[in-house]
Amino acid sequence: MLAWENPHLEPRDYEQIALQPTGHARAIAADGQRHATALPKNGRGALAEIVLREAAGRLSAPLDPPGVRTA
C-alpha cells in the first residue's frame, strides 16, 4: 500500500491505513519501555530512555495530511 501512486482513496481511508502501523509501533514502544526499566540508568538504560522518549514524541504527533509525503 505504501508504493501505490494514486489509489484515489478518501481522506478517512488514509487515516485508517496509517492508524494500524501506528498502533503496532505504540505497542512495541510500550514493550520496550517495560524492558528498559530493567536496564541500569547509565549507559544502555540512558540510551533506551532517549530513544523511547523520541519514539513517544513522534507517535503522539498528528498524522500527515493525505497525499503529502515526508522524508
Side-chain angles (χ1 to χ4, degrees):
M1 83 183 144
L2 296 176
W4 294 342
E5 287 297 319
N6 194 0
H8 303 293
L9 298 174
E10 295 295 322
R12 67 180 174 271
D13 294 330
Y14 288 102
E15 290 173 12
Q16 289 299 311
I17 290 168
L19 285 175
Q20 187 170 14
T22 302
H24 289 296
R26 285 185 177 132
I28 291 168
D31 193 39
Q33 184 67 49
R34 284 189 294 276
H35 289 288
T37 59
L39 295 172
K41 293 299 175 194
N42 58 359
R44 290 184 288 175
L47 179 58
E49 288 298 323
I50 292 168
V51 170
L52 290 165
R53 197 173 322 126
E54 177 71 18
R58 290 177 183 262
L59 289 170
S60 66
L63 299 173
D64 290 332
V68 175
R69 292 185 181 192
T70 59

